[in-house]
Every structure is written in C-alpha cells, then in structure tokens.
Amino acid sequence: MPTSTPDPRHASVSASLTQAVLHAAGRLGVDRASLLAGCDLTESQLVDPDARLPFATQEAMWQQLSRLPHSEPGLALGLNLAPGPFSVLGYLLQSSATLGDALAAGLRYQRLVGEGGELHRHEQGEEVHLLYRPLHPNLPATRTRVLALMANWVQMVTPLLHDFRPLRAQFVHAQPTDLGPYTEVFACPLQFSAPEYGLVLPKALLAAPLIQANSPLQSLLRQHAEALLARLPSEGLSARVVTLLGEQLAHGEPDRSELARALNLSERTLQRRLAEEGSSYQQLLNDTRRQLAEHHLSSGTLPAAEIALLLGYSEPSVFFRAFRQWTGLTPGEYRSQQQGKG
C-alpha cells in the first residue's frame, strides 16, 4: 500500500537524486555548470545528500536533458545512474533479504528519493505489476525522466539476483522507430501505448533472496529512513501507520508495539498523536482490513478463508464476524453483490 500522494504544488526531490542525475549527465558529456545554471541550481544546494529541492527545479533539469542527442535520452541517462548516490533508500533496497522485502521498502520510503510520481504494486495471478504514475504525465520531459528511472530499476536489481528477468516492460508513449535502446536495457517483451509505465515480474521472484542481504544494516537504515520520512511534510502519521499496517498484515496479527518502534515512537506517543489527527490505532487497523477485504472480494477469486489469513486473522470466523459488522453482509454475500454490479 503506497504512501499518500503529496500536494503537487509542494513536491520535492532529494539532493542525492539530483546529484545522481548530474553525474549521469556528466558521463554523457553534458557540462555540469551549464546544466545547473539552466535550472537555477547552485552547488551549495547539493552538499547535504538529505536536503530537499523543489521538484519543479529538477523537472527543469530533465527538460534540458530531454534534448540530448540520443535516440532515447532517458534510457541513456538511466544506464549511467548509480544507485549509491540515492542515499539511504538505495542502500536499504540492496540490503533487503528478498526482492519482495526490497519492493516493500521501496514503496514505504519512495518519497525520500522524490515526489515526482508514485510507485504502485499490484498482483494479478502469477504476475506482479510495478506501475509508476508521474506528476505532469503530459510534459515531454516526463518521458525522459520516467525512462531513466525504469532503466535504473533494472540496473539496480539485476546484480542483486541470480536471475532477474522481467516478464515485460510497458510504456505510455507510442512505439519508437529505434527499439535498440529498449531491448538493451529491459531484455524482455515490450508494450507501447500502454495505460501506465511499469515493469511486470513473475510473482515467484518476490521470494528470491538478494545477494547483498544484510539484516543488521537493514535495521539501522530503516531507523534512519523513518527519521528522514518524519521530516517530510504532507504525510500525516495516520497515513504512515496505514502503510505499516499493510506490511504487517501479510505476516499475521499486527503488533502495535512493533509498529510504534518502527516509527521511533512510544505506544503512548503514537496513541496521543493519532488522537490529535482524529484517529486511533484500532480504527486505522479496522479501516485497513475493511478496505483490503473489500478489494480482494470485489476484484479477485481468493476464498474468504485465505483473505482472512492475508488480513492477519488467526481464524476465518473472526474475519466473518468483523466483516458483517462493517457491511451487514457476509463475505460471500458481498462478493455476489459486487459481481452483480459488473
């Protein structure tokens, strides 16, 4: 479950990502000083890797880079983007135990890198769809920016797995004349004029162990990432709790004390701050479970007993009682009602 989308007017990106883009452009022969001047940036704004810059500033940089003399500038830049300069998130992904864990961390902490769009994960049968929804999708520079990010995803993950092969890559724009750069980067079937940008992976790959897994480092990085996330505006504590609940539910009954620790809060402080936002832990847990239950029942064929396990219930009967309290219907009745609407 992704985090809440920030106000586009106040969207920001990390200085570390901006540095990475500048380095990639430099490898392609772009003059750094001219690029900085063209988007009204100074070197002093980039000294702290955790500093934030207005997204509009970096978007102006992408606009310049979209004019590079390459058949697909975004892919050329993506091949030269190094994950290290992305600061804490890059290292967090690399040290994850499995690809599934890395994707969960990517979804949880994506705002640390930038707010120029939002990554979503959807499962369809034996496929996992990683979809990227950019701000300002109709701007010409957006194609360059998103292609650079997608190419970087592949560059980052490939060395971490013994056999990383996407099932397909999809792009919003029409099929270009030169497919060479695409086949070189993605090495999989390509779909153009698609509804959204994204990569499709085999679901079985989520359990694949990562070569650089490091649990102690992962714990330290998560603490740092949570502290950085807490500094960012526009996402309330309630939204962060919902995100963590979505992750915990997949592993059983959520643990309030563990969730509070993940947020660097005591349970009492968590309770007080949620109350200040007009919410509570139990209310958010119930709302999250109800939302997920209704989604599974209306859009899939999973048996209700399996849905109960996915929602962290130890017994299906407990889920059935809760669902009837929420909707006045049994899960089976709700599913039939939704199918009837179709």
Side-chain angles (χ1 to χ4, degrees), residues 3-25:
T3 57
S4 59
T5 305
D7 186 336
R9 296 169 299 176
H10 306 299
S12 65
V13 296
S14 69
S16 58
L17 174 59
T18 307
Q19 281 279 28
V21 175
L22 286 164
H23 289 317

Side-chain angles (χ1 to χ4, degrees), residues 99 157-166 201-202 204-205 208-211:
L99 181 61
V157 175
T158 298
L160 303 178
L161 288 168
H162 290 294
D163 188 22
F164 175 66
R165 298 190 183 190
L201 309 177
L205 205 57
L210 300 190
I211 294 170

Side-chain angles (χ1 to χ4, degrees), residues 7-226:
D7 186 336
R9 296 169 299 176
H10 306 299
S12 65
V13 296
S14 69
S16 58
L17 174 59
T18 307
Q19 281 279 28
V21 175
L22 286 164
H23 289 317
R27 294 188 188 101
L28 295 177
V30 177
D31 180 70
R32 181 183 177 98
S34 299
L35 193 54
L36 287 170
C39 55
D40 200 24
L41 259 180
T42 64
E43 293 287 0
S44 62
Q45 293 173 273
L46 303 170
V47 173
D48 179 2
D50 294 328
R52 307 293 291 188
L53 304 170
F55 172 64
T57 298
Q58 197 189 81
E59 201 166 37
M61 181 183 295
W62 286 111
Q63 196 165 358
Q64 295 180 71
L65 294 173
S66 66
R67 296 192 285 267
L68 285 175
H70 291 264
S71 63
E72 205 62 83
L75 296 181
L77 287 159
L79 289 174
N80 285 279
L81 274 174
F86 287 15
S87 193
V88 63
L89 181 58
Y91 295 120
L92 190 58
L93 300 181
Q94 293 175 48
S95 62
S96 296
T98 66
L99 181 61
D101 292 335
L103 291 180
L107 289 168
R108 167 69 185 143
Y109 300 111
Q110 58 182 298
R111 292 181 65 221
L112 296 184
V113 173
E115 297 172 324
E118 192 169 31
L119 180 65
H120 293 254
R121 167 183 157 177
H122 299 293
E123 293 186 12
Q124 294 184 13
E126 295 305 308
E127 296 181 344
V128 176
H129 295 235
L130 298 179
L131 305 175
Y132 185 74
R133 296 167 184 166
L135 290 181
H136 314 141
N138 297 321
L139 288 182
T142 297
R143 170 170 168 170
T144 301
R145 178 171 65 87
V146 176
L147 287 180
L149 291 176
M150 291 178 66
N152 182 250
W153 297 347
V154 175
Q155 289 289 104
M156 185 185 298
V157 175
T158 298
L160 303 178
L161 288 168
H162 290 294
D163 188 22
F164 175 66
R165 298 190 183 190
L167 295 176
R168 61 185 177 278
Q170 59 185 57
F171 313 94
V172 171
H173 51 270
Q175 180 171 318
T177 304
D178 184 9
L179 289 179
Y182 289 85
T183 55
E184 177 187 355
V185 171
F186 299 104
C188 68
L190 308 170
Q191 179 188 357
F192 295 93
S193 301
E196 298 186 88
Y197 289 102
L199 293 178
V200 180
L201 309 177
K203 186 177 178 179
L205 205 57
L206 296 180
L210 300 190
I211 294 170
Q212 296 181 26
N214 187 326
S215 182
L217 177 61
Q218 175 87 174
S219 297
L220 290 173
L221 290 170
R222 277 188 175 273
Q223 290 178 22
H224 183 47
E226 284 296 337

